Amino acid sequence: MSAGGLASGKPDGEWLRVHPATPFVRGWVALAAIGYFFGRDSFERMLQGQPLIDDRLAGRAPWLLGAGALMLVLAVLSFVLSWYFTRYQVAEGYVRVNTGFLFKQQRQARLDRVQAIDIVQPLLARIFGLAELKFEVADAGESAVRLAYLRIGDARQLRATILARASGVRLDPAQPEAAAPEAPEQQVLQVPPSRLFGSLLLSEQTVFIVLSAAASVVLSALTENRAFFLYLIPAALGFVAAYWSSFNKGYNFTAAISPDGIRLRYGLLDTQAQTLPPGRIQALKVAQPPLWRLFGWYRMQVNAAGYGAGANNGEGGSRTTLLPVGKWGDVLNMMALVLPDPGTADPLGVFHHGVNGLDSDGGFVTTPRRARLLAPLGWRRNAFAATDTALLMRSGRWWRQLVVVPHQRTQSIALQQGPLARRFGLADLVLHTTAGPVAPRVIQADLREAQGLFDAQAARARAARRRQTSEQWLAQVAPVSTPLIERVETEPAEMRPSTPAPQQEGPQRG
């Protein structure tokens, strides 16, 4: 059976195996460890011009070689058995993966619940032309299905077929089980490496490094003790590793739009390609650190079902990043893809005031003046505004951020009020969505306004969910015939949705 069964015309529902090189790509560390354990001494002796085998071990050399050969055979045998008992199937609205020959496991994901499909290529897999598929579903805290490894062409074909069936695309009636062609795409933006490098130099962690170094210099001068510099060594190593990880994961970041969703590609050594179907993003955040204002840079992150469990580690952080660093036009272009219908006649003005505005600019409702003692810097920034399709929450005077939550993605709402907030007649409104780096929260709103927003947002969320007609996102929307989105700088009058991303008529449960 071929890993590319769907692409080669094999019947739907047939169990297929992954690529034969899969166990060796996944288990090369074990083979390297065996070789290092048994060959280290001989290699060192060869470099020193001595016999490969120590005279004291010459009598036991056959036994050592036999033990090494036995371990190698067992490792290879386990690899072969692992490959033989790993099979996958796409049938009856599910994708299933069976693994294990002693302890068997079957994982499956419903196609109409697929939130995103990632194509991951570690460095060794790229050398062999292989790729791993990760399927994210709405009700899984981690990847529901990980399928490794397939030929890169087969992985793309399988992703296209699953996304087509998950979205409700109508294929050829004469061949309903045929593989779907990969949807065309058009690039929306690309992050230059120079901008990514500059954003890392002007990031929050750089500010921390500079302040720590300055404090060490001052303390060393005051106490005449040079030991303070030693404490910076492990911190510097950690920050260098963090810089490299961010640069490696954000390198060559590109975003494109296609009928099956927003496609994100990034990575220097290990590459990854994500596909987020339109309307599947639960919450979005636009943030701007203080030093980024010098160049007008912004960062965008999202909450997406299935990504929340690992959103705080390196891999999860990169997968929840919609834009690592970009100009204001890039932000608006990505915003148009995530929220094709902003629900307001002046989306550019509303989003601009949401990120950069103060007081009631753009129709935002801010923290009352009496709360300026609790938030002397942020009370004019803390605000909210509601459009016909989303709730916008603004906060932060130095670290600015704007959070956008589509009404249908509001899972629950809570009012929170501490003793100081009660004293000043304030309350926080918290919106609950799927887990992730975005924490939707209206900060220090007037109590009556917070209560009114609580009732209004609950009603808006109920109305939006009632308009849902199907779990298949394409079945809920009507395609539009306008051209692909152009750069916002050239069209300041409006935000246009792209052609493949249909305008949303009704929400979806995530």
Side-chain angles (χ1 to χ4, degrees):
M1 285 178 284
S2 167
L6 289 176
S8 59
K10 293 202 173 184
D12 184 54
E14 182 176 357
W15 286 96
L16 306 171
R17 289 195 177 92
V18 296
H19 195 276
T22 294
F24 298 96
V25 174
R26 302 180 67 174
W28 67 269
V29 175
L31 297 179
I34 294 175
Y36 174 79
F37 180 79
F38 286 97
R40 181 189 60 180
D41 291 339
S42 297
F43 181 73
E44 292 178 353
R45 294 176 66 84
M46 181 185 68
L47 294 179
Q48 297 171 1
Q50 300 178 8
L52 295 180
I53 300 177
D54 193 338
D55 295 337
R56 294 171 296 179
L57 300 177
R60 289 179 289 176
W63 296 99
L64 293 176
L65 292 176
L70 179 61
M71 292 184 62
L72 183 61
V73 169
L74 291 176
V76 172
L77 180 62
S78 66
F79 289 170
V80 173
L81 291 175
S82 173
W83 166 79
Y84 183 80
F85 286 96
T86 299
R87 300 185 299 169
Y88 69 94
Q89 178 194 55
V90 180
E92 301 172 352
Y94 287 86
V95 54
R96 301 182 178 93
V97 177
N98 287 350
T99 58
F101 58 94
L102 289 180
F103 301 95
K104 295 184 179 296
Q105 182 184 60
Q106 182 184 91
R107 305 201 72 176
Q108 66 179 19
R110 280 176 49 185
L111 297 185
D112 59 3
R113 302 291 285 176
V114 170
Q115 299 289 309
I117 301 179
D118 300 350
I119 294 182
V120 183
Q121 284 190 285
L123 181 59
L124 190 60
R126 289 176 62 188
I127 295 175
F128 286 95
L130 304 179
E132 175 186 6
L133 283 178
K134 291 183 180 180
F135 303 90
E136 305 295 345
V137 295
D139 50 0
E142 58 182 9
S143 293
V145 174
R146 298 170 68 105
L147 186 56
Y149 286 93
L150 306 178
R151 291 187 180 91
I152 182 62
D154 296 335
R156 290 172 178 167
Q157 178 63 78
L158 182 58
R159 179 184 65 171
T161 299
I162 292 177
L163 283 175
R165 298 183 186 181
S167 61
V169 170
R170 292 183 176 89
L171 301 177
D172 186 359
Q175 297 179 333
E177 305 299 340
E182 187 171 10
E185 67 177 47
Q186 179 161 336
Q187 184 172 303
V188 176
L189 62 88
Q190 182 174 11
V191 177
S194 58
R195 183 190 299 172
L196 178 64
F197 183 75
S199 69
L200 295 177
L201 292 181
L202 298 178
S203 62
E204 299 93 327
Q205 60 190 21
T206 300
V207 175
F208 179 80
I209 291 175
V210 173
L211 293 178
S212 300
S216 298
V217 171
V218 172
L219 291 175
S220 298
L222 294 178
T223 61
E224 297 183 356
N225 185 354
R226 309 271 182 190
F228 289 102
F229 290 104
L230 299 178
Y231 297 112
L232 293 178
I233 295 177
L237 294 176
F239 281 118
V240 168
Y243 280 132
W244 166 249
S245 177
S246 299
F247 186 80
N248 180 42
K249 294 182 181 300
Y251 183 81
N252 197 31
F253 184 96
T254 61
I257 185 63
S258 71
D260 53 22
I262 304 170
R263 293 181 180 174
L264 307 177
R265 294 184 178 89
Y266 49 87
L268 178 59
L269 298 181
D270 300 344
T271 63
Q272 185 158 325
Q274 293 177 241
T275 300
L276 291 172
R280 294 297 198 181
I281 292 174
Q282 313 292 307
L284 178 145
K285 177 174 70 175
V286 181
Q288 186 183 47
L291 295 180
W292 285 19
R293 294 188 208 172
L294 299 174
F295 298 94
W297 292 340
Y298 302 86
R299 178 192 301 123
M300 300 181 72
Q301 294 175 291
V302 297
N303 287 357
Y307 287 169
N312 295 325
N313 59 34
E315 179 186 5
S318 62
R319 298 172 75 192
T320 56
T321 299
L322 193 64
L323 178 64
V325 55
K327 296 283 191 176
W328 181 239
D330 300 328
V331 171
L332 293 180
N333 280 325
M334 297 304 293
M335 190 80 74
L337 303 183
V338 175
L339 195 67
D341 179 12
T344 175
D346 183 22
L348 293 182
V350 171
F351 290 133
H352 172 76
H353 293 305
V355 176
N356 303 303
L358 290 174
D359 300 325
S360 58
D361 296 341
F364 279 81
V365 180
T366 62
T367 297
R369 185 177 179 84
R370 63 177 180 273
R372 63 187 183 277
L373 294 178
L374 298 181
L377 296 178
W379 71 274
R380 297 176 63 191
R381 277 280 302 164
N382 299 334
F384 68 89
T387 70
D388 293 340
T389 57
L391 181 66
L392 285 66
M393 290 151 279
R394 186 181 73 190
S395 63
R397 188 65 177 267
W398 294 104
W399 276 266
R400 298 175 179 175
Q401 70 175 31
L402 171 68
V403 174
V404 180
V405 178
H407 295 321
Q408 68 269 25
R409 300 305 174 194
T410 303
Q411 297 181 359
S412 62
I413 315 173
L415 275 175
Q416 297 181 356
Q417 189 181 47
L420 282 178
R422 284 196 297 271
R423 172 66 179 81
F424 287 87
L426 306 174
D428 288 2
L429 183 75
V430 180
L431 273 68
H432 301 139
T433 65
T434 56
V438 184
R441 189 183 191 96
V442 177
I443 301 175
Q444 296 178 341
D446 178 82
L447 179 59
R448 292 186 178 179
E449 291 174 345
Q451 291 173 339
L453 177 62
F454 181 94
D455 296 333
Q457 185 62 21
R460 285 190 286 259
R462 286 194 301 269
R465 285 193 292 268
R466 278 198 300 268
R467 291 196 296 269
Q468 178 177 348
T469 58
S470 172
E471 292 290 350
Q472 295 178 329
W473 63 265
L474 197 61
Q476 304 180 65
V477 295
V480 295
S481 57
T482 55
L484 279 166
I485 186 168
E486 300 179 10
R487 296 292 297 174
V488 172
E489 291 89 347
T490 64
E491 291 197 39
E494 61 179 350
M495 290 177 62
R496 294 184 183 177
S498 58
T499 301
Q503 291 192 0
Q504 187 167 339
E505 293 179 352
Q508 242 177 338
R509 280 193 296 266

